[in-house]
Structures are given as C-alpha cells and as structure tokens.
Amino acid sequence: MLELDTLSEIINDALRGIEYPERPEGLYQPIAYILDCGGKRLRPVLTLATCQALCGNSDKALNQAMAMEMFHNFTLLHDDVMDKADLRRGRPTVHRKWDEATAILSGDALLTLATQRVTMNAGEYLNDVMDLFNKTAMEVYEGQQYDMDFEQQDDVTIEQYVEMIRLKTSVLLGAACEMGAIMGGASAEVRKAMYTFGEKLGLAFQLQDDYLDTYGDALIFGKEIGGDIVNNKRTWLLVTALSKDSSGKLHRFIDHCPVSNAEKIATVMEIYNDNDIPRLCTEAIKGYVDDAVAAVKTAGLSPSDEKFFIDLALSTIGRTH
Amino acid sequence: MLELDTLSEIINDALRGIEYPERPEGLYQPIAYILDCGGKRLRPVLTLATCQALCGNSDKALNQAMAMEMFHNFTLLHDDVMDKADLRRGRPTVHRKWDEATAILSGDALLTLATQRVTMNAGEYLNDVMDLFNKTAMEVYEGQQYDMDFEQQDDVTIEQYVEMIRLKTSVLLGAACEMGAIMGGASAEVRKAMYTFGEKLGLAFQLQDDYLDTYGDALIFGKEIGGDIVNNKRTWLLVTALSKDSSGKLHRFIDHCPVSNAEKIATVMEIYNDNDIPRLCTEAIKGYVDDAVAAVKTAGLSPSDEKFFIDLALSTIGRTH
C-alpha cells in the first residue's frame, strides 16, 4: 500500500491538472478556487486505497476518487451559502469572494462535473458507480435537510442526531470506500464490508470533531475551543446532555444565557462533566472505531493492507486535530 | 404519431406518479410543488415524439423524457433564487414559499433525481444518454452565466446574445430530441439531425418570446406588454437596436430614463420601428424555423411523422402566446 501522503498527493496533482474552459470565467474560476485548497483529501484517499488493496492498482479508481472529492466540495460550496458562512479553510467562501448567484451556479456545475467524472473509464462498472453516486448524493441532501430542521427543534433524540450525521457525513466516506471496491472488481460482500468501514469511520470522525470543539487543545485543533457551546450548536455532547436534562436546567440556561461566552462555556462544561458526557462520547467514538475495524477484517485484505485501514481508524481516537 | 396533447398527458401522469420519500418533508415537498405545474411540457414531448418516430414506441424514452423535464425545472428553481424572482407560472417561487436554503437544497436534489432518471432503463444506451445529459447541463450553466454577465455589459453583440440563448435555452431542446433518438436506436446522423431540429426550434421560440413581450397581444400573451423594455432587459430586439445606435441616443435614453413606463415603451418602440427591428426579428425567427424544418427533413422520418415536427416548428411563427 502506498503511504497516506502519497495518495493525497496523487489526488492533489489530479485535481490541479483538470483543464477548465477559459470562459465563462465566473462559472469555472470558483470551481478551481474551491478545489485548490490542499487538505487531507480523506474521501478520495479512501477510494484509491480500497481499489489498490483489492486489485493492486489505485489508478483504476482515480476518476471515481476525484468525483468523490468534487462532490464533497460541491456540498461545502452550497452549504456555505445556506449557512451564510464567511470563511472556509481560512479563506473567504465563494459567495463572499464572488456573490451568491455565482456560488449557486458554480456549485451546480461542480455537481455535474463530479457526475461526469464518476462515469469516466468506469467501463463495465458504469451502472454500479452511477447508482452508488446518485443514491449517496440523495442521502447527503437528506442529512443536510435534517441538520437544518434540527436547528429549529429542541427535542432531537441522540438516535435522530446520529442518523443525521450518518446521512450528512458518513455515507460519503462509506461510498468513497465502496467506489474503490467496485473499481477494484470486488464482490458484493467485500463492497459492503468496505462501505461499512467508511461509514463507521465517518461517524467516529464526526463525534471526534464534536468532542474536540469542547475538549480539544486550541493550538493543535486550530480553532477556538467552545465555539459549538457558544452557538448552541446541536452536537453529540449537547444532544446527549439535553436528553439527560430532566430538570430542564440546561434547556433554560442555553435558551436565555445572560453571561459572557467564557462563563457560558465553563457552565456548560460543568454540566457535561457532571453527566459524564466526555467519557460517554469517547466511548461512543471507540465503539464506532471498533465497528470499522471489525468490518474491514471481513474484507479478506492482505495483512499489510488491513493494517493500513485499521491504523487509519485507530488514528481517529488519537487525533488531536 | 400521438397527438401533442396526448404526449403532454403521458408526461404529466408520469411526473404525478413519482413517489417521494415521506421525510424529510422540506427536501421533497418543494420538488413535488415545482413539478406539479402542468404546462405544455415541450421538452419531454419532443423526447417521446422523436423516440416514437424512430422506433414506433414512445415508452422506451419515458424515463429520459421525464429527466429532461426534471432538469428543466431544477434550472428554473435555482434561476429564480439567483434572479430573486417572486412568481413562477403565477405561483410563489420555491424560495418565497419556503426559503432560500430550501430552494438551493431541493434544487440540488432535483438535479440528482433527474440524473438518476436519465439512467433508468437506458440499457445499452446508458453511456450515450449520460454523456448527452451532462454535456447539455454544462452548456445550460454556461448560458446562465453569460446571461448574468451580459446584464452588467453594455456592448453585447448580436452573435454573443444568440450564443447565450442557444446555450441557456436551445441546447436543452436539442438534447430532448436527441435523447429520444438515442432511445429509439437512431444512427449518429439521425441523432444529429434531430438535435439540430430542437436547437433551431429553441432559438425560434426564444426570439418569438422576445418579440411577443413587445409586440404581442397582452390578453393572449398572458402578461403585460413592454416589461422587457421597462426593465432594460437584453433581448434580441434591444441588442440589435443598440448595435445600430451609432449616435448613442438609445444607450443614453435607456441609461437615464426620466419618463413614465408608458412613455419609455412608446419611445423605445419608435426607435425599434425606425430601425426596422420588428421585421428583422420576424425574419430571424423564420430563418431558424426554416433551419429546423430542413434538419428534420434529413432524418428519414415517415411523411406523417415529419409533418408532426414541421407543424410544431411552423406553429412558432404563428403563435401568439
């Protein structure tokens, strides 16, 4: 198996190598802008690694890997418009750097470019990759819709929250793995095993994100700690704490909070600690990592390839950023 | 060949028969809302009619015909957000009835549903229909981008304007015909001929729209006459008149117009008439209709099927709404 960094570089090179029509500039420049952000490229790396583990050649899934990253960036582009976000990875979002109409239209174009890309060199697997791509896209939209719905809703259960992040985030990691398995010629059972690996890894990652926003080290995590608490953001921590808040104290406190941000963070963390939330969260993360590891062990990979995926999953527990 | 109205009804029934997941409501209700508008359904009718003319069975292209209509409605949904439009076919637009985030997300989902639909029962033609669908989508986005660019631009040439409406409107009518030809098992030559028929028909329709907004009968046309003039909208009429405006009189008049709407319409129509614009426009429309008729005559259809398409094209010249 190639190194993680090598796989990321393959993807970055391929994305940089895309040639866009020169005109109309307003359509293609924002696409090049959002795809030119570096980063870990986790989704396409999973596609390449899975394909390589199954047929010894990651190249076969390069277009499908690129399609996964392009789709992911299309969702970021439109989500930023919906959330009215100003910054993405430290740079102005597309709708701030250009305008909202540009962000909507270039996002549409990026979705179609991703769809085109997923069909490229798909050969006998064209039907399978198209079906997986479209089904996953619909699930991601459903997740985003639930996320927006839950912002207006006080009684979200932890099961509803986990289903929302599964749809919004995890199915795309599952699909990234299965896409590589399809292009690597895998059986239905192995495709399913690798999908489950990605899906559970995605859940672990999202919960770890929630955890680190409150319990991370600001310097390593790369952003202010406690932002989710300040913004009353529905996270695994808050949803779980609210489900244990039979006295309604936490509900009232976050609804009408007359204190400073620092006091608010301190008080909510105290409630979290009193309710054992940090331990419950790290246990939940560990549970999803265990599920991911169990799934990949059924895929019949070589010991060294299996280790690659297990190490990737275990790194979630240890990660601090 | 089935009657036009029968083909429209087949499409309306099929669209009404789509079963959406019950939840999340905010994602699927706006899609059902925008697709439930009746209307002529010109694009999918072209797909069904072309398929029937070529293989005797319009059913083979039913999913692809639905995909054309779904794609068209996705573009309307997002265009209305970009243009901040309040009404569409006499009803509130999706972003007014719900909100902007809902319109963006349900539009994305409608694009993916259209993409799924185009692959259904495509069989041996899967690659061809996907390629045509994605290529056409990119052209439509380019057309919309040019349309937005031209709003800020005073020196649009008539060639640039025609290329813009070709991309924004006509290629989808061309693709609708070619989609039916593909599913009907046509040769590359016949596919091309039917594409050209639809493309030229689309240009004739768009120019006729421009013409009727100024020279139509308000009662029959169904909306106020002169709206384009009041809004300085770039139309074939205005772009052509500006290209003949060597003295700059029309430029200055529309830039700083101190008169009432009625006076503005009267003055601009006077300038149009002095420059022979209405006759030039009807001649241009007739030219595109002639091109469409010439194209369909090379497709080797039966005399009665050929007549169906020719009558459709000729109806453009006579149409008053």
Side-chain angles (χ1 to χ4, degrees):
Chain A
M1 181 64 68
L2 297 169
E3 298 285 323
L4 263 183
D5 290 351
T6 311
L7 293 169
S8 307
E9 256 330 290
I10 291 173
I11 293 298
N12 280 320
D13 287 348
L15 291 173
R16 271 192 296 265
I18 296 176
E19 286 182 21
Y20 303 98
E22 269 180 39
R23 305 187 54 217
E25 285 183 4
L27 188 64
Y28 292 109
Q29 281 187 352
I31 293 174
Y33 174 79
I34 195 163
L35 288 179
D36 176 35
C37 60
K40 293 190 301 286
R41 309 290 195 185
L42 178 61
R43 292 156 196 81
V45 161
L46 286 171
T47 306
L48 294 183
T50 306
C51 186
Q52 195 186 339
L54 290 165
C55 75
N57 181 3
S58 64
D59 281 359
K60 284 191 185 171
L62 182 57
N63 285 300
Q64 288 69 36
M66 291 166 76
M68 291 288 108
E69 186 66 14
M70 291 161 83
F71 178 82
H72 175 56
N73 279 274
F74 142 71
T75 64
L76 299 179
L77 216 169
H78 276 189
D79 283 4
D80 284 342
V81 181
M82 293 184 236
D83 301 343
K84 303 195 184 304
D86 295 322
L87 292 173
R88 161 77 55 191
R89 303 167 182 138
R91 301 187 307 169
T93 48
V94 169
H95 68 106
R96 291 284 182 240
K97 191 172 161 74
W98 284 270
D99 56 35
E100 210 175 279
T102 300
I104 295 172
L105 189 64
S106 55
D108 294 343
L110 185 49
L111 172 55
T112 293
L113 288 174
T115 311
Q116 273 183 323
R117 186 62 64 172
V118 88
T119 68
M120 286 185 194
N121 293 323
E124 61 185 302
Y125 305 118
L126 180 60
N127 231 322
D128 287 350
V129 296
M130 280 302 311
D131 281 355
L132 176 60
F133 183 82
N134 289 326
K135 173 181 80 83
T136 305
M138 291 308 299
E139 289 176 335
V140 171
Y141 308 140
E142 290 183 359
Q144 168 71 4
Q145 182 68 47
Y146 283 124
D147 196 12
M148 297 195 298
D149 290 347
F150 290 173
E151 289 298 315
Q152 321 294 329
Q153 206 176 314
D154 239 13
D155 56 348
V156 180
T157 67
I158 193 68
E159 289 76 19
Q160 288 175 319
Y161 176 78
V162 169
E163 175 63 4
M164 182 274 283
I165 61 170
R166 189 186 73 80
L167 290 167
K168 183 171 173 170
T169 306
S170 307
V171 297
L172 190 58
L173 275 76
C177 291
E178 185 172 352
M179 201 61 89
I182 293 172
M183 294 308 297
S187 69
E189 290 72 32
V190 171
R191 283 172 50 170
K192 180 82 174 55
M194 293 309 299
Y195 182 92
T196 304
F197 171 80
E199 184 186 40
K200 301 298 181 184
L201 180 66
L203 287 169
F205 257 96
Q206 185 58 51
L207 257 62
Q208 185 78 344
D209 252 358
D210 287 2
Y211 181 85
L212 290 176
D213 193 273
T214 299
Y215 295 100
D217 180 323
L219 277 179
I220 304 174
F221 190 47
K223 56 183 182 181
E224 287 286 318
I225 293 302
D228 287 350
I229 292 179
V230 171
N231 297 313
N232 289 345
K233 186 158 184 286
R234 297 283 175 275
T235 63
W236 195 94
L237 306 171
L238 181 59
V239 172
T240 306
L242 285 172
S243 74
K244 294 170 176 293
D245 181 40
S246 53
S247 70
K249 182 181 153 197
L250 180 58
H251 277 95
R252 284 189 301 277
F253 182 74
I254 64 168
D255 279 349
H256 313 280
C257 184
V259 297
S260 72
N261 286 347
E263 281 176 84
K264 181 174 181 181
I265 294 171
T267 305
V268 172
M269 282 180 75
E270 207 178 291
I271 298 173
Y272 284 175
N273 294 338
D274 288 348
N275 285 283
D276 214 14
I277 307 289
R279 191 186 57 80
L280 291 172
C281 188
T282 52
E283 271 184 11
I285 294 167
K286 202 177 158 310
Y288 290 127
V289 169
D290 288 347
D291 291 346
V293 169
V296 79
K297 282 188 172 172
T298 68
L301 306 185
S302 75
S304 71
D305 287 341
E306 192 176 287
K307 184 172 181 305
F308 173 92
F309 289 100
I310 293 175
D311 285 351
L312 189 62
L314 291 176
S315 73
T316 311
I317 306 179
R319 87 188 170 108
T320 45
H321 63 283
Chain B
M1 179 64 67
L2 297 169
E3 298 285 322
L4 262 182
D5 289 352
T6 312
L7 293 169
S8 306
E9 255 331 289
I10 292 173
I11 293 297
N12 280 321
D13 287 349
L15 291 173
R16 271 191 297 264
I18 297 175
E19 286 183 20
Y20 303 98
E22 268 179 39
R23 303 189 54 219
E25 284 183 5
L27 189 64
Y28 292 108
Q29 281 188 353
I31 293 174
Y33 174 79
I34 195 163
L35 287 179
D36 176 36
C37 60
K40 293 188 304 285
R41 309 291 195 185
L42 178 62
R43 291 154 197 81
V45 162
L46 286 171
T47 306
L48 294 183
T50 305
C51 187
Q52 195 187 337
L54 289 165
C55 76
N57 180 1
S58 64
D59 280 359
K60 285 193 184 171
L62 181 58
N63 285 300
Q64 289 69 36
M66 292 166 75
M68 290 289 107
E69 186 66 14
M70 292 161 82
F71 178 82
H72 175 56
N73 279 275
F74 141 71
T75 64
L76 299 180
L77 216 169
H78 276 189
D79 283 4
D80 284 342
V81 181
M82 294 183 237
D83 300 344
K84 304 194 182 305
D86 297 320
L87 292 172
R88 162 75 57 191
R89 302 167 182 139
R91 301 186 307 170
T93 48
V94 169
H95 68 106
R96 292 285 180 237
K97 190 172 162 77
W98 284 271
D99 56 34
E100 211 174 279
T102 300
I104 294 172
L105 190 64
S106 56
D108 294 343
L110 184 50
L111 171 56
T112 293
L113 289 174
T115 311
Q116 274 183 323
R117 186 61 64 171
V118 88
T119 68
M120 285 185 194
N121 294 323
E124 61 184 304
Y125 304 119
L126 179 59
N127 232 320
D128 287 350
V129 296
M130 281 301 310
D131 281 355
L132 176 61
F133 183 82
N134 288 325
K135 174 181 81 84
T136 305
M138 292 307 298
E139 290 177 333
V140 171
Y141 308 140
E142 291 184 357
Q144 169 70 3
Q145 183 67 48
Y146 283 124
D147 196 11
M148 297 194 299
D149 290 347
F150 289 174
E151 290 297 315
Q152 320 295 327
Q153 208 176 312
D154 237 13
D155 56 348
V156 180
T157 66
I158 193 68
E159 289 75 21
Q160 288 175 319
Y161 176 77
V162 170
E163 175 63 4
M164 182 275 281
I165 60 171
R166 188 186 74 82
L167 291 167
K168 183 170 173 170
T169 306
S170 307
V171 297
L172 190 57
L173 275 76
C177 291
E178 186 172 352
M179 202 61 90
I182 294 172
M183 295 308 296
S187 68
E189 289 72 32
V190 171
R191 282 172 52 173
K192 181 81 174 57
M194 293 309 299
Y195 182 92
T196 304
F197 171 80
E199 185 187 38
K200 300 300 179 182
L201 181 67
L203 288 169
F205 257 97
Q206 186 58 52
L207 257 61
Q208 185 78 343
D209 252 357
D210 287 2
Y211 181 86
L212 290 176
D213 194 272
T214 299
Y215 294 100
D217 179 324
L219 278 177
I220 304 174
F221 190 48
K223 58 181 179 182
E224 287 285 317
I225 293 304
D228 286 350
I229 291 179
V230 171
N231 297 313
N232 289 346
K233 186 156 183 285
R234 296 285 175 273
T235 63
W236 196 93
L237 305 173
L238 181 58
V239 171
T240 306
L242 285 172
S243 73
K244 295 172 175 291
D245 182 41
S246 53
S247 70
K249 182 182 152 196
L250 178 58
H251 277 94
R252 284 190 300 278
F253 182 74
I254 64 170
D255 279 350
H256 313 281
C257 185
V259 297
S260 71
N261 286 349
E263 280 176 85
K264 182 174 180 181
I265 294 171
T267 305
V268 171
M269 282 180 74
E270 206 177 293
I271 297 173
Y272 285 175
N273 294 338
D274 288 348
N275 284 283
D276 214 15
I277 306 292
R279 190 186 59 80
L280 291 172
C281 187
T282 50
E283 269 184 14
I285 295 168
K286 200 176 160 309
Y288 290 127
V289 170
D290 288 346
D291 291 346
V293 169
V296 79
K297 282 188 173 173
T298 68
L301 307 184
S302 76
S304 71
D305 287 341
E306 192 176 286
K307 184 172 181 307
F308 173 91
F309 289 101
I310 293 176
D311 285 351
L312 189 62
L314 291 177
S315 74
T316 312
I317 307 180
R319 88 191 171 105
T320 45
H321 63 283

